[in-house]
Every structure is written in structure tokens, then in C-alpha cells.
Amino acid sequence: MPFTKKPNFDFKIENNKIVLGKDYLFKNKKYFKKITGSRLASILGLNSFTTPVKAWAIMTNIFKDEMDPTLLETGIIIEPKIKKYVEKKLNIHYLTYNPIKVKFDIFNDNDIFGGIPDGEPIELTGKINYDLGPMLEIKTSSYDAFVFKNEKNVLKLIKDSNNIPLVKVKNKKYESWFNENKINIPTEYAYQLGLYMFLRKINNGLFAVSFIEKQYYANPNAFIPNEKNTYLINFKINNIDSFSKKIDQAREWYQKYILTGISPELTPEDMKWIKNELDSYEK
């Protein structure tokens, strides 16, 4: 999707940075997004898919990233199934949040960091109690690498006549999760769960990762989590002091770039992305 605000009016490129217009910054600063778990690794330069500049553009609301609707719908339908599977397997009840009702943030007392964990352990009364179990983070992945096409800078799945995604490389996504037969949590996901654990002042987390065969993208309601397709991985922040320094770094980043309305310096990758988005905007 192209930029959602007007180039050379709401923002401009100046001294190799994106600079928000003074009027836009004044009127919209209160609506800028916080650093959530899914953004933390990006702003620290540790996400291979989203640069700090792109994260900045999303957080200042001049750009909106889009996800393929099939992948989005599949996750929405399957994730509650995974939660129920985890609850039954571990005999733990988890609280999940309605994103709209909580305004996509349960950390209202924090001006910089926010977001929503996928699950918090609760007593039968509904009270959150981390003595009962770990914080839950749910992830879904296909087994295969699929074929995509670029539609106005949004990657869309190419599917066959039965609405099943076309496979580019069989088992590639599944294999990318493993190292020496042990599942490896990607850095951006580790920082995501790590942030929410840090904000809750706990150090006991759990990833539930389900791998989905291609036919379930056409019919996600038929997917059933089981021990063959779903892995549970315990997670802890190995070095609290080191992670705390990353949080401090992220806080300084927010104050330096979000509050001022001036982005980090653009990389060649950022320049290519911006050119493509501006070309799309002009069309």
C-alpha cells in the first residue's frame, strides 16, 4: 500500500531523513503508535523484514503495512484453536483480549511501550496469576514457501482453482525454523514475547508454533492442532540486564525519532522502498 498521507505536504524527504510537516506533527502526535512487541526488533534494526525507518513510518501513521488477506484470515481462525490446544495440554486457562475493546494495548500506564500478549494465565475467577503458568505467544507458519505476486507493493498469494496456495519450495518455511533438529525462535519473535514479559515483570514464557499444510489456507476451520503440527517451546529472557539495555535503547529511539517527527537516517533499502511507494502513490 502506498503512503497514506500526502508527500511534500504531510511529510518530505530532507537531509536523507523523512521529516513530518509541523502542522501534521502538531495535530497527530497524540495518535502516534507505541512500541509494541511486533515493532521492538524492527526499531532496534534486528528484523530482516522491516527497517527502523519503515517502523517509524507506520508508528507516525504516514504508512500502513498490508498483509495478504488469506494469511490474515487463516491466522485469525487458527490461533484460537491453538490456544485451546495449549490450555488442554497444560491444564492452564488463558485470558485473551479483544483488540478493539482494549484499543490494541493493555499497558495503558506506559507512554512508550504497549501491545497485547496472546495469552495470560488466569484463575477460574478470571484473575491473572503467573504462578499458574507462562505467558503465551502463538505463531503460525506454513510448511512450504508459497508463490506471491506484487500488487501495488503488497505481496499477494497466488492460488490454484481450489483456492490453495501454489508452492514455490516444499518444506522451506518449516525447515527454516529448525537448527540441528531443535526449533529456533526467530529474533523478532523473541523480542516480541520478551517485551511483554518485561512489562509484566515475569520471566516465564511459552511459544506455541503451529505449522499449517497448504490445503488449510483454503479451509482453516478444518485445521486441528496436534503434537505432529504444533510445538511448545519454553522461553526465558536469558540476560535481564542486557535486555533492559535494549529497552532503554528503544525508549531513546522513541524520544529521538517519534516525538520529534524526524525519522532515522535512510538506508539504500529504505530509499528503494520509498521510491516504490511514492511511485504507487502518484499512480
Side-chain angles (χ1 to χ4, degrees):
M1 180 177 182
F3 286 104
T4 58
K5 305 303 177 184
K6 189 175 180 180
N8 298 318
F9 181 79
D10 294 315
F11 68 92
K12 60 183 177 180
I13 310 298
E14 188 175 86
N15 297 323
N16 204 37
K17 297 179 179 180
I18 307 176
V19 180
L20 299 180
K22 291 183 179 179
D23 189 54
Y24 178 84
L25 178 63
F26 176 76
K27 291 181 178 179
N28 294 277
K29 183 184 288 188
K30 62 183 177 181
Y31 303 115
F32 289 174
K33 295 178 173 64
K34 294 160 74 172
I35 299 174
T36 60
S38 60
R39 298 185 185 120
L40 180 58
S42 299
I43 67 170
L44 293 173
L46 300 172
N47 189 329
S48 57
F49 301 101
T50 304
T51 69
V53 169
K54 188 173 182 181
W56 177 91
I58 293 170
M59 292 172 68
T60 56
N61 298 317
I62 66 170
F63 179 79
K64 183 178 180 181
D65 214 359
E66 287 190 4
M67 185 177 183
D68 176 88
T70 298
L71 296 179
L72 183 62
E73 181 185 14
T74 300
I76 290 172
I77 292 174
I78 287 179
E79 286 191 11
K81 293 171 174 278
I82 300 170
K83 173 193 171 256
K84 289 181 179 179
Y85 171 79
V86 173
E87 288 180 322
K88 184 176 180 180
K89 191 172 182 64
L90 301 184
N91 193 27
I92 298 173
H93 293 284
Y94 277 103
L95 170 66
T96 55
Y97 298 91
N98 182 319
I100 296 175
K101 285 187 177 181
V102 299
K103 298 181 180 179
F104 297 89
D105 184 19
I106 64 167
F107 301 100
N108 296 319
D109 58 343
N110 196 307
D111 293 334
I112 294 176
F113 299 98
I116 310 174
D118 284 338
E120 300 198 86
I122 54 173
E123 301 173 356
L124 293 178
T125 61
K127 180 183 177 182
I128 297 172
N129 184 351
Y130 276 100
D131 289 333
L132 299 175
M135 179 180 282
L136 177 63
E137 183 65 33
I138 298 171
K139 295 299 176 189
T140 59
S141 173
S142 60
Y143 279 94
D144 312 310
F146 294 142
V147 180
F148 289 84
K149 59 182 175 181
N150 189 317
E151 292 185 2
K152 296 183 178 179
N153 295 327
V154 178
L155 294 178
K156 298 288 185 69
L157 282 171
I158 298 179
K159 296 178 279 188
D160 64 17
S161 59
N162 294 313
N163 209 34
I164 296 174
L166 297 182
V167 173
K168 184 176 182 179
V169 182
K170 189 172 179 60
N171 284 331
K172 183 175 181 179
K173 294 278 285 186
Y174 177 79
E175 291 170 357
S176 70
W177 279 82
F178 288 85
N179 182 18
E180 296 181 353
N181 295 320
K182 182 181 179 182
I183 201 162
N184 182 46
I185 300 298
T187 299
E188 57 267 28
Y189 295 158
Y191 272 83
Q192 180 177 10
L193 181 52
L195 175 62
Y196 297 144
M197 290 165 56
F198 185 86
L199 294 176
R200 282 295 195 220
K201 297 181 172 63
I202 61 168
N203 197 19
N204 191 14
L206 178 75
F207 280 98
V209 184
S210 283
F211 293 94
I212 305 167
E213 294 177 302
K214 62 180 182 179
Q215 65 269 23
Y216 293 117
Y217 287 89
N219 184 18
N221 287 299
F223 178 81
I224 300 175
N226 56 50
E227 292 185 352
K228 291 183 178 180
N229 60 32
T230 300
Y231 295 77
L232 304 185
I233 304 99
N234 292 315
F235 177 80
K236 292 184 181 297
I237 302 173
N238 292 328
N239 188 323
I240 296 293
D241 289 339
S242 177
F243 192 83
S244 181
K245 289 179 181 178
K246 292 293 185 182
I247 296 298
D248 290 340
Q249 183 181 339
R251 183 182 292 107
E252 292 172 3
W253 184 95
Y254 185 93
Q255 293 167 341
K256 182 177 180 179
Y257 299 117
I258 297 297
L259 296 185
T260 64
I262 301 174
S263 79
E265 190 165 335
L266 306 178
T267 65
E269 180 183 356
D270 292 319
M271 290 300 297
K272 182 179 179 180
W273 163 67
I274 290 170
K275 182 181 184 305
N276 288 336
E277 297 298 343
L278 289 177
D279 288 346
S280 180
Y281 183 91
E282 292 169 359
K283 293 175 183 177

